[in-house]
Every structure is written in structure tokens, then in C-alpha cells.
Amino acid sequence: MTVDDTGSGADDADGRVDPEAEAADSGEDPLALRLEQLILGAERRYTPFQAARSAGVSMELASRFWRAMGFADIGQAKALTEADVLALRRLAGLVEAGLLSEAMAVQVARSTGQTTARLAEWQIDSFLEGLTEPPEPGMTRTEVTYPIVELLLPELEEFLVYVWRRQLAASAGRVVQAADDEEMVDRRLAVAFADLVGFTRLTRRMEEEELGELVEAFETTSADLVAARGGRLIKTLGDEVLYAADDAGTAADIALRLVETLGNDETMPELRVGMAFGTVTTRMGDVFGATVNLASRLTSIAPRDAVLVDSAFAEELIRTGDAPASEAQAAEAAAAAEKEGEEPPVYRFALQPTWQRPVRGLGVIEPWLLTRREGAAP
């Protein structure tokens, strides 16, 4: 590669970059540059302008893609690799082929960047930090980091692709089963927020490490329960998790299991859950709309270690036979079944109407207290 006046003097005769020489020129840490080259699988070769030109895209579009992926502006420093050029070329190619609009390509870049940024931060902070503790006195972390990353990188990459394909298959399956095209984006779902009570007070009393362990335990327990029972974890917010399910019965079972499980853990604060059922707009893995807002408001007014649902959620449980409209109705159904010599209906949940109240922006709502019906298996 011909070295232009924007590059560093660290290129050798073949155009390859010597990390040690480049570190000396730029003042960067040599190990950091060696790790970057190991992880990216290529050395720095291009300025942003050169990368955009090599990919055959405008500098404006390249900047939009990079910013959407979460990368900072770097001026015209020589910091990009052949992989950056290839990524630009692929995204632009999808647009040119008519498979994606330019706006959709930017959304793909943004959703991928935001998701993987959090994953990378977690792996470095929690995973690699522990693995690269010096095994012997006198050794530095830098002496063990490079070989550990070199061994882990291909395995973690393969696992990431596997999980992504699995998640993509599950998501695609849900979409193709939608009743119509509109339902692919605006779907009827059960949405729930589970919130730790008194978390703000805990942050003032607990040490940072202890608080971090509590949050991690809460998120791990919640994620495992949601996944195991057929829900989808949308996001975690420290002291709160948001999940969704295709049907109200699944969401109700998850909510009560969360309350029961965390209630048996003396280290955990009390939990409150709010749920609503209705049309939800999905974008970039998140959910939006009045149903989501209502679930959030119900969480804020839910009693400790209890679950509140909206009237639409209650009606859906009644419609599917997961809960009786009232205890009187349950008794009548049992009596009628006994008279006919049939098995009485089995309800998993019980619903108790509470007081109506106005909620700003949502009008008057009627929350229902959801409990597990006596005798129903937890």
C-alpha cells in the first residue's frame, strides 16, 4: 500500500503496520495495539476517507454507518482495517441491491452496534478481568492477557454466531406465524415490568461490589425464569426487568414465579410486578406503546411482593380459561360439571379487582390483583 501524508510512519516496506513502531509514533500502549490487531484480525491501513473510497461509498454514508455502530469520529487518523472496508461494502451492497433501504441499513448498524457493545463491555469487565488475574506473584496482567485472548477469541466468536442464529430462528418463527403483515410490527403481547422495591435506599447503604452482586443475581434469576417459562427478556434496567410473552398465561406464570423465587431469597428486596395486554410496537428488539406505558404505571402502584394487571390482561386470562371471572363463577362452573358427571374446570390463577384510579396520560384504569389459585401447581 502506498503511504500517504495522513498515515503514520509505522508501515514497513510491504505496507504492514508494526505495532511497536506505531505505538511509539502515536503514544498508545503497545499491548493495546497488539490486542486490537489480534481481535480485528487485521492491521490499521486506512483513514476514514480511504476506507470509504475503497468501499465505494460516500464519506457521508460511511460516517452514518460508523456512528450508528457506536464508533467515535476519529478525524483522518489511520485507524481502520480491511474488515472496516468490507463491512461498509456489505451494508452499501444491501442498499444497492434493494434488499434494504438506506434508513434500514442504518438501523441494522445501530441495533448490532448497541447490542454487541454491551456484550463486549460485559465480557471485558466480568469475564476477561477475572481470567487475566496474574497466576503467579511478580507477573503482570499484561503478560497473560494476550495469550488468553488468543485462545478464547475463536471459541467466543463461534459461540456468538451460534446464539445469534438460534435467536434469529426463534424471532423469524414468531414473525411468520403472525396473522397478517401489520401484526409483524404491531402485535398483541403481554408486557411486564418487575421492579425491586426500595432499590434507591439500598444504593446508599450497600458497598458498590455488594450492590453489583445483588443486581447481577436479580438479572440472572429473572432472565433464567423468563427464558425457561417461554417469555422473552426485552431489557434489564438494574433494579427492573422488562419482559414480554405471546400469551397472558405465560406472562402471569413468570410474574408469580419471580415473586415466589425472590421472596424465598433473604438477600433480595421485595418485588412488585405490573403487566398489561394489548397492541405493542416492536422496534430494534424493544417494545413501545400505550400497553408498555400502562404496565410501567401498574408496577409503580403494585403492592410489595404482588402482581397487578390491567383489565385487558384479566379479560384475556378469563377468555383462555386460565382464571375465572369471579369465585362465584368458578363455584357455578364446578357445580355444573359435578351435576353432569364431568371434571370441573381447573384454573391456574385468581383475579381480584381493586379500586379504579386515574393515571396521567392513560385515563381511568382498573387494576386487578393476580395470584396463583389455591391448589394450582407453582
Side-chain angles (χ1 to χ4, degrees):
M1 184 180 93
T2 302
V3 179
D4 67 8
D5 59 3
T6 62
S8 71
D11 292 359
D12 62 21
D14 297 325
R16 300 181 65 82
V17 175
D18 176 8
E20 300 291 336
E22 184 171 3
D25 287 348
S26 64
E28 296 181 68
D29 184 271
L31 176 63
L33 287 174
R34 288 180 61 217
L35 278 172
E36 177 190 286
Q37 187 167 320
L38 170 66
I39 294 170
L40 296 180
E43 67 273 5
R44 298 177 178 183
R45 284 183 174 270
Y46 303 100
T47 67
F49 177 78
Q50 291 169 336
R53 183 175 60 187
S54 296
V57 304
S58 68
M59 187 63 209
E60 179 185 3
L61 181 58
S63 295
R64 288 187 67 197
F65 284 152
W66 282 321
R67 288 169 184 166
M69 286 184 276
F71 303 138
D73 293 339
I74 58 172
Q76 285 305 316
K78 182 174 286 188
L80 303 180
T81 73
E82 199 66 48
D84 295 296
V85 173
L86 182 58
L88 282 178
R89 194 175 291 150
R90 281 174 169 161
L91 275 176
L94 291 173
V95 175
E96 290 173 6
L99 296 173
L100 296 177
S101 66
E102 187 173 305
M104 182 60 70
V106 172
Q107 280 192 11
V108 168
R110 179 169 292 111
S111 62
T112 306
Q114 289 179 356
T115 302
T116 53
R118 184 180 182 194
L119 174 62
E121 289 288 344
W122 182 89
Q123 288 177 331
I124 293 299
D125 289 346
S126 303
F127 187 44
L128 291 181
E129 183 177 349
L131 284 177
T132 55
E133 285 289 345
E136 298 178 10
M139 290 190 68
T140 64
R141 177 169 287 168
T142 57
E143 290 176 311
V144 296
T145 297
Y146 190 93
I148 289 293
V149 172
E150 191 172 27
L151 289 171
L152 284 174
L153 187 63
E155 302 302 325
L156 291 177
E157 182 177 15
E158 289 291 333
F159 186 69
L160 174 62
V161 173
Y162 155 73
V163 175
W164 171 71
R165 284 181 177 273
R166 267 288 176 189
Q167 294 286 7
L168 194 64
S171 182
R174 289 192 293 269
V175 168
V176 298
Q177 291 176 33
D180 51 46
D181 288 346
E182 287 187 5
E183 194 179 330
M184 290 185 183
V185 177
D186 297 319
R187 306 166 57 194
R188 286 180 63 78
L189 295 175
V191 179
F193 285 91
D195 176 61
L196 293 177
V197 179
F199 186 76
T200 303
R201 289 194 301 275
L202 283 176
T203 61
R204 294 194 289 266
R205 298 201 322 257
M206 300 176 71
E207 297 291 335
E208 288 185 6
E209 184 175 349
E210 188 181 7
L211 189 64
E213 290 174 354
L214 184 146
V215 169
E216 184 175 357
F218 170 59
E219 291 185 350
T220 300
T221 300
S222 300
D224 288 350
L225 277 173
V226 170
R229 305 309 300 174
R232 296 189 298 284
L233 187 69
I234 305 299
K235 58 187 173 185
T236 59
L237 305 168
D239 62 331
E240 188 174 58
V241 298
L242 168 61
Y243 70 87
D246 292 330
D247 63 272
T250 296
D253 180 50
I254 292 170
L256 292 172
R257 284 176 183 270
L258 281 171
V259 171
E260 292 157 0
T261 301
L262 295 180
N264 290 327
D265 187 340
E266 295 181 356
T267 66
M268 281 289 171
E270 295 161 304
L271 189 73
R272 54 189 177 190
V273 182
M275 297 192 291
F277 185 84
T279 301
V280 174
T281 297
T282 59
R283 289 285 188 280
M284 294 175 61
D286 208 341
V287 290
F288 306 92
T291 301
V292 180
N293 295 338
L294 180 53
S296 178
R297 299 291 175 83
L298 287 168
T299 306
S300 66
I301 62 174
R304 296 165 181 255
D305 283 338
V307 181
L308 281 187
V309 304
D310 74 323
S311 55
F313 196 106
E315 289 169 5
E316 185 67 10
L317 288 180
I318 294 168
R319 184 188 70 80
T320 57
D322 283 311
S326 65
E327 288 305 312
Q329 188 266 340
E332 290 175 4
E338 184 179 359
K339 185 176 180 180
E340 297 294 328
E342 300 173 352
E343 289 291 324
V346 178
Y347 301 108
R348 293 194 290 164
F349 311 110
L351 292 163
Q352 178 184 339
T354 63
W355 62 97
Q356 292 185 347
R357 61 174 64 191
V359 174
R360 187 175 58 185
L362 296 171
V364 177
I365 64 171
E366 181 184 8
W368 293 67
L369 183 66
L370 175 76
T371 56
R372 198 177 297 282
R373 190 167 171 78
E374 187 175 351

